[in-house]
Amino acid sequence: MSYQAEKISGNQARIDFIVTPEAFEGAMQQAYLKNRGRINVPGFRKGKAPRKLIETMYGESVFYDDAFDQLFPDLYDEAVEKEDLFPVDQPDVKVEQIGSGKELKFSATVYVKPEVALGKYMGLKGTRHLHPVPEEEIDHRISHDVEKVTVSEEVKDRALEEGDTADIDFEGSVDGVPFEGGKGQGHKLKLGSGSFIPGFEEQVAGMKVGETKTITVTFPAEYHEESLAGREAQFEVKVNAATHEVKPALDDDFAQDVSEHKTFADYRAAVVRELEEHRDRQAENHLEDSLVQQAVDAADCDIPEAMVRRQTDRLMQNMEMQMLYQGIRLEDYLKYTNSTQEDLRDRFRQDALTGVKTELVLDAIAKAENVEPTQEEVDAEIARRAREMGRDEGKYREGLSEQQLENYRELARTRKTIDLIKGHAEISVHEGEHEEGIDAQEVLEKALDAVEESEAPKAKKPAKKAVKKDADKSEPAKKPAAKKKETKPKEG
């Protein structure tokens, strides 16, 4: 076998193959042995008819397809590996000459990982935004701990107030006639929640436990039940019981209940430090986002549609997994939003394109700068992931496949590449807002998806933007099945 490969564009390659008559004859014989048992020849039992007789009856081409399929995968894989090509789609195969005693000639045209023309990626300018942690954010964080130790107590000797939760029975009617869905027993209603018709909760407020009252309300003019829209209704309401929340005082006792700190001042200071550390991580993430965005914008490459399509598929799959985790089927979501899968694909396409280009650019920078992670850096990524999953690092590492270990190596390489870009950037510090760009952290996490694919099925982390969503990093199709267009071979 001989072949000749050439790049016919920045993202497409063509390989022309020539197979010797002897090699093709061997494949034809294998095709005959494989198929003779299902070919009917008068006067012979199945599987006993000579090859020449079958070819005389049905034509020599009866074995062409199987003979070709015998040869193609290994020939194609060998050429791809030797030429250091990275196919991203199935090849388009055209047979130019085929026949007994002749050389088999065919070509395979395939989209490959495109060449990237890098722009500026060193000496970029970025800003680290370190705004003070606002009081509202501190209070909001403390409120979560407050909820942990908040208790409910029965309301006894007073009228109900906003914020109380009442256990009520009710029955509604319009013009004295009860209507469907207007009756409930033991219903828990938090006053002030706005979960009932406007005016209902306000009239329950002021009632006492054990009291019965007729409440008059008017349904909204636009109501899902048209027969009730804009109608005045009466509800007979009885309060069976009620509770109210008792929140703790923000004092030293509270601090000791929810933390290891002995005073509220120390507890609050720890909360502020926690929020500042989170702010610093976010600031670093956004700085990296901005720098990666600049490097991607400065680069140019012709991305094959197949890569965008595959990335879009991953984003769609991730979305469906997230919805299933929340108990929502994709079909129901499409129905509720009056949209189609094609509508979703259109929405995801730009994110997919951005994600693919980002991976390609970071990979090209890594190659240009000879970035390779050390084993310690790869180990650090594995350890970080094990901690995130709450797994023992040693046992987690033992269960990793070769492909998963390679994915972690790529993750460490990507992280090191982003650190290189950041290390050569001009960085200023500013206390202000930031603009979002590519999410570099999602780029770093993206390789983890491939690791997760071989773990027990579970919902994936929501993708913030396109860069994440699937994880084989648009890997080349290593062993594609022969995919041929219908062509008429030259037999003469």
Side-chain angles (χ1 to χ4, degrees):
M1 185 273 292
S2 63
Y3 71 86
Q4 183 174 352
E6 64 173 329
K7 278 285 191 73
I8 57 178
S9 71
N11 64 12
Q12 206 172 21
R14 171 177 167 145
I15 312 173
D16 293 307
F17 294 88
I18 298 178
V19 179
T20 64
E22 293 77 15
F24 182 66
E25 169 57 27
M28 288 283 283
Q29 181 64 15
Q30 288 297 316
Y32 158 69
L33 295 175
K34 174 184 174 182
N35 291 284
R36 63 183 178 179
R38 57 186 180 83
I39 297 177
N40 289 318
V41 176
F44 291 88
R45 287 180 296 155
K46 282 188 177 182
K48 298 299 183 180
R51 174 182 156 190
K52 289 298 182 184
L53 182 58
I54 294 174
E55 290 176 338
T56 298
M57 290 188 62
Y58 293 95
E60 184 183 84
S61 62
V62 69
F63 297 125
Y64 281 178
D65 281 349
D66 280 315
F68 187 90
D69 289 344
Q70 289 265 354
L71 294 167
F72 177 78
D74 289 340
L75 299 180
Y76 177 76
D77 288 346
E78 181 183 350
V80 163
E81 184 173 350
K82 285 184 177 179
E83 295 299 318
D84 200 25
L85 298 175
F86 296 89
V88 297
D89 201 5
Q90 299 290 354
D92 174 22
V93 179
K94 292 184 178 179
V95 178
E96 297 166 4
Q97 178 174 289
I98 189 170
S100 181
K102 303 174 185 176
E103 293 178 329
L104 169 63
K105 297 180 180 181
F106 66 94
S107 66
T109 303
V110 64
Y111 284 101
V112 296
K113 195 174 183 179
E115 298 172 355
V116 178
L118 291 172
K120 183 177 180 179
Y121 58 88
M122 295 292 204
L124 302 175
K125 294 183 179 181
T127 302
R128 185 178 285 112
H129 297 274
L130 297 177
H131 58 80
V133 178
E135 289 295 320
E136 295 81 4
E137 192 171 343
I138 299 171
D139 292 341
H140 181 69
R141 168 62 183 82
I142 292 175
S143 71
H144 288 292
D145 285 340
V146 169
E147 290 177 5
K148 295 177 184 177
V149 291
T150 294
V151 296
S152 294
E153 291 185 354
E154 288 187 28
V155 175
K156 295 182 178 179
D157 301 324
R158 66 167 175 82
L160 301 187
E161 302 171 351
E162 184 173 323
D164 292 340
T165 298
D167 180 307
I168 62 172
D169 297 337
F170 62 89
E171 183 170 10
S173 60
V174 174
D175 295 334
V177 180
F179 54 86
E180 186 177 355
K183 184 176 182 180
Q185 291 184 321
H187 182 83
K188 298 293 190 298
L189 172 63
K190 185 168 185 176
L191 304 185
S193 65
S195 57
F196 266 46
I197 304 165
F200 187 95
E201 295 172 28
E202 291 82 351
Q203 295 180 67
V204 174
M207 294 178 66
K208 292 184 177 181
V209 174
E211 182 180 352
T212 299
K213 180 180 178 180
T214 300
I215 290 175
T216 300
V217 295
T218 301
F219 281 95
E222 294 184 4
Y223 193 66
H224 64 274
E225 178 55 56
E226 294 183 2
S227 63
L228 297 175
R231 302 288 299 277
E232 184 179 88
Q234 288 74 42
F235 283 86
E236 289 295 318
V237 179
K238 179 185 178 182
V239 178
N240 303 313
T243 60
H244 70 107
E245 294 181 343
V246 179
K247 296 185 177 182
L250 301 182
D251 54 18
D252 294 346
D253 289 339
F254 165 75
Q256 293 169 25
D257 286 342
V258 299
S259 73
E260 72 279 8
H261 301 286
K262 296 190 178 299
T263 68
F264 181 77
D266 289 343
Y267 160 77
R268 189 180 188 282
V271 168
V272 173
R273 285 195 301 273
E274 174 189 315
L275 294 175
E276 287 176 342
E277 290 171 0
H278 176 73
R279 174 206 63 189
D280 293 345
R281 288 193 298 270
Q282 289 295 100
E284 208 63 25
N285 292 348
H286 288 302
L287 170 62
E288 293 173 356
D289 297 347
S290 172
L291 297 174
V292 170
Q293 180 76 66
Q294 292 176 57
V296 171
D297 289 344
D300 186 41
C301 60
D302 184 11
I303 300 174
E305 183 59 32
M307 296 183 76
V308 180
R309 183 174 63 250
R310 290 170 65 189
Q311 182 74 345
T312 303
D313 289 342
R314 295 170 193 136
L315 295 177
M316 292 279 291
Q317 291 166 4
N318 286 343
M319 177 182 178
E320 187 168 6
M321 285 290 290
Q322 292 163 29
M323 289 193 299
L324 284 174
Y325 182 75
Q326 297 169 16
I328 303 172
R329 296 188 310 163
L330 179 61
E331 295 82 357
D332 294 333
Y333 171 83
L334 295 175
K335 179 180 178 181
Y336 297 150
T337 58
N338 194 28
S339 57
T340 65
Q341 288 203 30
E342 284 307 308
D343 294 332
L344 287 182
R345 293 187 68 83
D346 289 342
R347 283 166 47 192
F348 279 131
R349 190 181 187 285
Q350 185 55 49
D351 284 347
L353 183 61
T354 301
V356 171
K357 184 178 180 182
T358 301
E359 291 177 17
L360 292 171
V361 170
L362 289 175
D363 182 61
I365 294 173
K367 288 180 178 177
E369 299 294 334
N370 296 314
V371 175
E372 289 298 335
T374 64
Q375 187 58 49
E376 290 75 14
E377 290 166 335
V378 177
D379 291 342
E381 294 298 337
I382 296 174
R384 182 182 293 109
R385 179 60 176 163
R387 286 194 302 272
E388 290 175 354
M389 299 175 65
R391 302 273 296 278
D392 176 79
E393 180 184 341
K395 292 181 179 179
Y396 178 68
R397 185 190 302 273
E398 289 176 3
L400 296 176
S401 66
E402 288 298 320
Q403 182 59 57
Q404 288 172 321
L405 291 171
E406 177 61 21
N407 290 336
Y408 275 117
R409 193 192 74 80
E410 287 299 317
L411 177 62
R413 183 171 181 253
T414 300
R415 189 182 300 278
K416 196 168 184 176
T417 303
I418 294 175
D419 288 343
L420 174 72
I421 296 172
K422 184 169 64 174
H424 288 81
E426 297 179 23
I427 300 172
S428 59
V429 178
H430 176 66
E431 294 186 0
E433 298 300 320
H434 59 266
E435 294 183 0
E436 287 198 13
I438 288 174
D439 192 329
Q441 294 307 304
E442 296 236 351
V443 179
L444 292 172
E445 293 171 359
K446 187 171 186 294
L448 290 174
D449 288 352
V451 177
E452 292 173 353
E453 284 177 1
S454 59
E455 296 170 358
K458 57 191 167 194
K460 297 186 179 179
K461 294 164 68 176
K464 289 185 283 184
K465 280 206 292 278
V467 179
K468 184 174 184 320
K469 254 331 116 164
D470 200 312
D472 69 359
K473 297 177 69 64
S474 303
E475 289 178 3
K478 287 268 187 169
K479 289 214 178 256
K483 202 170 187 180
K484 301 186 287 291
K485 284 189 176 178
E486 291 295 328
T487 57
K488 184 177 181 180
K490 300 176 183 176
E491 298 184 14

